[in-house]
């Protein structure tokens, strides 16, 4: 019998003591702590200023099924195989004064050009990390300024609403804008949440330009599907729901399930399927003291709880206490 091929990459949480310093099949090694750092000699390794909220925090490892090559080009670090591209940029905001919109526009313009130049035109998933999300400049908070700059860069491509990737944007406690992404040769399918308004169509009260991302991206690789779920919060329609962390968590789990059902594909869309079927959960918690309630709530609701990473990070709205992203692979 011929063997079923494996997808071109896996994303797992691993014990840092067992992750080798060098691995010819590694696309990315993402570590979590107190600083944003990138190593100019090591394009597969990033350190994010997101402190873990549980002991013995794992490392996020992306591993390919074929040897990886990588390097740096005009400020972008990258690793790739014949099928997938991991890329990132670590930007010093001081170059742009207090204009985060200009910094975000610059970073996205470069990254969007880069993945196309490399021959991977399909942007599948993006992560955005920067400090002081709710500090106000020019009448907007920094998250709104970031969305404004990102939107300007996307307009120039132009990237249509149906092409927008899944994304996360979280506030760190260290300087610097750090953005990383996954791109492929062929596009995935954008998935929206029927319980929520598309982020692209949020009312103007959330900012002069929309947060430009999809709720998830479904990509069918040769060895099976991957579902990349964006950072998901306690939002129904476009309104924040609840002011207490356990209630927000219950709404998040309902939203995750709705996104899975919206794929229309088994086993994700099976009536009994829920977030316990996901391969990885990453929870960003605004207040460190709430981590115990998030952990307990997940353990009560999911059997089993998927591999979980609890991190201290600011969420895009000041009234949101927790946000969770997911992966099905």
């Amino acid at each position: 019998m011929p063997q079923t091929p494996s997808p071109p990459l896996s994303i797992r949480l691993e014990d840092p003591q067992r992750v080798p310093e060098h691995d010819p099949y590694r696309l990315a090694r993402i570590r979590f702590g107190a600083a944003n750092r990138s190593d100019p000699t090591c394009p597969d390794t990033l350190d994010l200023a997101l402190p873990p909220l549980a002991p013995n925090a794992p490392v996020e490892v992306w591993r390919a099924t074929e040897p990886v090559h990588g390097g740096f080009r005009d400020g972008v670090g990258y690793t790739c195989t014949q099928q997938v591209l991991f890329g990132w940029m670590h930007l010093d905001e001081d170059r742009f004064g207090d204009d985060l919109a200009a910094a975000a526009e610059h970073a996205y313009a470069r990254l969007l050009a880069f993945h196309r130049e490399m021959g991977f035109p399909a942007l599948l998933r993006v992560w955005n990390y920067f400090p002081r999300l709710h500090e106000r400049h020019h009448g907007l908070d920094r998250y709104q300024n970031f969305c404004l700059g990102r939107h300007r860069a996307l307009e120039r491509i132009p990237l249509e609403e149906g092409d927008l990737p899944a994304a996360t944007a979280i506030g760190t406690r260290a300087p610097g804008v750090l953005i990383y992404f996954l791109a492929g040769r062929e596009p995935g399918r954008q998935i929206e949440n029927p319980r929520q308004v598309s982020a692209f169509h949020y009312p103007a009260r959330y900012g002069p330009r929309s947060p430009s991302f999809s709720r998830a991206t479904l990509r069918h690789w040769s060895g099976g599907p991957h579902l990349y779920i964006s950072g998901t919060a306690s939002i129904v329609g476009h309104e924040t729901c609840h002011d207490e962390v356990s209630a927000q968590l219950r709404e998040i789990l309902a939203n995750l399930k709705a996104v899975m059902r919206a794929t229309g594909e088994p086993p994700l869309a099976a009536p009994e399927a829920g977030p316990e079927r996901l391969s990885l959960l990453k929870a960003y918690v605004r207040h460190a003291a709430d981590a115990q309630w998030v952990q307990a709530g997940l353990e009560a609701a999911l059997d089993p709880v998927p591999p979980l990473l609890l991190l201290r990070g600011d969420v895009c709205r000041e009234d949101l206490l927790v946000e969770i992203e997911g992966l099905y692979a």
Side-chain angles (χ1 to χ4, degrees), residues 139-263:
L140 303 173
D141 71 24
R142 278 169 54 82
Y143 176 69
Q144 292 169 329
N145 273 292
F146 177 86
C147 290
L148 175 61
R150 173 174 59 180
H151 196 282
R152 288 172 179 164
L154 293 170
E155 280 183 319
R156 293 208 301 268
I157 296 298
L159 206 61
E160 303 295 331
E161 180 185 352
D163 300 324
L164 294 174
T168 294
I170 291 292
T172 69
R173 293 296 180 94
V177 177
L178 206 161
I179 303 171
Y180 63 92
F181 69 86
L182 173 68
R185 305 282 190 189
E186 302 293 334
R189 175 161 65 92
Q190 185 189 79
I191 305 296
E192 287 299 324
N193 182 350
R195 303 181 81 237
Q196 296 178 319
V197 173
S198 164
F200 198 73
H201 295 292
Y202 274 2
R205 79 188 213 211
Y206 296 108
R209 291 293 183 271
S210 64
S212 302
F213 64 91
S214 65
R215 299 299 180 185
T217 301
L218 179 67
R219 176 64 167 90
H220 281 276
W221 302 106
S222 57
H226 281 187
L227 181 65
Y228 307 105
I229 303 178
S230 295
T232 301
S234 180
I235 295 172
V236 176
H238 58 77
E239 301 273 2
T240 297
C241 293
H242 315 296
D243 59 4
E244 186 270 327
V245 69
S246 296
Q248 288 197 5
L249 178 62
R250 289 193 294 271
E251 207 70 67
I252 289 170
L253 293 175
N255 280 329
L256 291 173
K257 183 169 184 176
V259 169
M260 294 169 65
R261 293 288 299 277
T263 65

Side-chain angles (χ1 to χ4, degrees), residues 8-14 19-32 42-48 59-66 68-70 77-81 84-88 127 178 180-182 282:
L9 80 157
S10 64
I11 301 176
R12 295 190 176 94
L13 301 179
E14 300 188 5
V19 176
E21 190 61 31
H22 301 287
D23 181 346
Y25 290 87
R26 188 169 63 216
L27 282 159
R29 175 178 54 173
I30 301 167
R31 303 181 295 204
F32 305 93
C42 198
D44 73 344
T45 298
L46 295 176
D47 289 277
L48 298 184
V59 174
E60 184 177 327
V61 178
W62 301 18
R63 192 167 282 110
T65 54
E66 56 184 306
V68 169
H69 70 274
Y78 73 93
T79 57
C80 65
T81 67
V84 291
L85 169 70
F86 165 75
W88 56 268
W127 289 261
L178 206 161
Y180 63 92
F181 69 86
L182 173 68
K282 194 184 299 179

